[in-house]
Amino acid sequence: MAGCQLVGNSVFYGTERRNCHCQLVKFSGVPLFYPLLNVPLTNISASLSNEGPPDGYRKNVGICLVNPSKKIFTASRIYIPNTWQMPQGGANKGEDLRKAAMRELREETGVTSAEFLAEAPYWLTYDFPIKVKDKLNRRWGTNYKGQAQKWFLFKFTGNEEEINLLGDGSEKPEFKEWSWRLPEQVVELAVDFKKPVYEQVLKVFSPYFSSDADKEQCLTKNERNGGKIHKQTTKRSSTKNKPNGGKKIHKQAKRCSTSLQGQVS
């Protein structure tokens, strides 16, 4: 069923088979079972073609970074209060998509210690809100409807001191805070037009998270609320003990020059 397109609540693309309730795939040792039609779909579509994203969409990669506790890295945009997201960014022409994901992760979070776990087997797209679409297309000189994303699952293998929202210095920073969060919190705190994509991404990667589902009842209240929120500074905190018990609190000291950075990457 290569090249099938998921639109509304049906799946079709050059085939008479209209109903596609699920797919069973395996990659990188992680068996993935995902019911494609269990997510309410609005401006989301999924292309199972591996050849490329749908026409009219900007090629993009998304990164689901998890720590050893199976929590997901999220960060808040500088110019969108109370809105959190997973790292993402545009892929260059001809760039290997997994390498593009690692590059974007490094540029946005400073993280280089990450182990590849899995890749979503299809493209997911979302449409830009009209105002955002017009501004971005004027800026880029393009006519994109939205973004087509290929999502990758990575395991964070480094020390948290490696995380730096100023990135590697090659791009302007986009985030001001970061935290490890449960899957349902990732969706809840996302901007509305990305929620359907996030729901589908987390369904695709759910076998990795569900292995620890029985440990949910052991989480502390702080963990259920998403854990500690870290604020970024231009310098890393000292490793010496502090009055707050040695925990590092970072404050944002550098902002992007354009509000469009708060809408898309």
Side-chain angles (χ1 to χ4, degrees), residues 22-264:
C22 65
Q23 295 287 329
L24 181 64
V25 298
K26 291 185 179 181
F27 46 9
S28 303
V30 181
L32 300 182
F33 178 82
Y34 49 98
L36 290 178
L37 302 182
N38 280 355
V39 179
L41 300 174
T42 52
N43 61 345
I44 179 179
S45 64
S47 171
L48 273 70
S49 171
N50 288 321
E51 297 178 357
D55 292 338
Y57 290 86
R58 177 176 180 251
K59 185 186 294 187
N60 197 275
V61 290
I63 302 98
C64 184
L65 180 70
V66 297
N67 65 10
S69 298
K70 307 295 178 69
K71 288 188 179 180
I72 302 169
F73 177 90
T74 58
S76 63
R77 288 282 191 174
I78 291 175
Y79 288 104
I80 307 182
N82 303 317
T83 300
W84 295 68
Q85 70 169 64
M86 292 181 279
Q88 66 176 60
N92 299 322
K93 185 177 181 180
E95 184 177 19
D96 178 82
L97 294 178
R98 191 193 301 183
K99 291 180 179 179
M102 284 297 303
R103 173 183 56 76
E104 285 293 335
L105 183 62
R106 182 186 70 249
E107 290 176 355
E108 294 187 351
T109 71
V111 170
T112 57
S113 303
E115 175 189 346
F116 171 77
L117 295 177
E119 173 184 343
Y122 52 81
W123 293 88
L124 283 167
T125 71
Y126 64 81
D127 293 339
F128 294 135
I130 294 177
K131 291 183 179 179
V132 175
K133 174 183 174 183
D134 292 342
K135 289 180 179 179
L136 289 173
N137 281 318
R138 284 197 299 269
R139 176 187 174 191
W140 294 334
T142 56
N143 190 32
Y144 292 126
K145 302 174 186 176
Q147 302 208 89
Q149 297 182 312
K150 201 64 179 296
W151 279 86
F152 296 85
L153 178 66
F154 291 94
K155 180 181 179 180
F156 180 56
T157 58
N159 188 295
E160 286 192 352
E161 289 188 351
E162 178 180 324
I163 300 173
N164 183 358
L165 299 185
L166 300 179
D168 62 0
S170 63
E171 300 289 338
K172 294 178 180 178
E174 301 183 18
F175 304 119
K176 62 181 178 180
E177 300 171 318
W178 65 270
S179 181
W180 299 107
R181 296 190 180 275
L182 299 171
E184 58 268 26
Q185 293 169 331
V186 174
V187 175
E188 180 183 354
L189 295 174
V191 68
D192 286 345
F193 64 89
K194 291 183 181 179
K195 286 182 187 291
V197 168
Y198 277 24
E199 289 174 332
Q200 191 63 44
V201 168
L202 295 178
K203 280 185 177 291
V204 170
F205 295 145
S206 64
Y208 184 82
F209 304 114
S210 62
S211 63
D212 274 4
D214 58 335
K215 297 181 181 180
E216 168 68 13
Q217 59 183 356
C218 299
L219 294 176
T220 66
K221 180 179 180 181
N222 189 47
E223 288 173 324
R224 290 180 186 279
N225 290 334
K228 180 175 177 58
I229 295 176
H230 305 259
K231 297 184 179 182
Q232 182 62 43
T233 61
T234 54
K235 295 182 179 180
R236 297 190 185 279
S237 301
S238 168
T239 56
K240 296 180 180 179
N241 290 334
K242 297 196 171 49
N244 64 353
K247 296 182 179 179
K248 302 173 181 62
I249 297 177
H250 307 277
K251 295 182 179 180
Q252 178 67 26
K254 189 174 182 181
R255 292 183 176 274
C256 302
S257 60
T258 172
S259 61
L260 291 180
Q261 290 292 110
Q263 297 288 348
V264 64

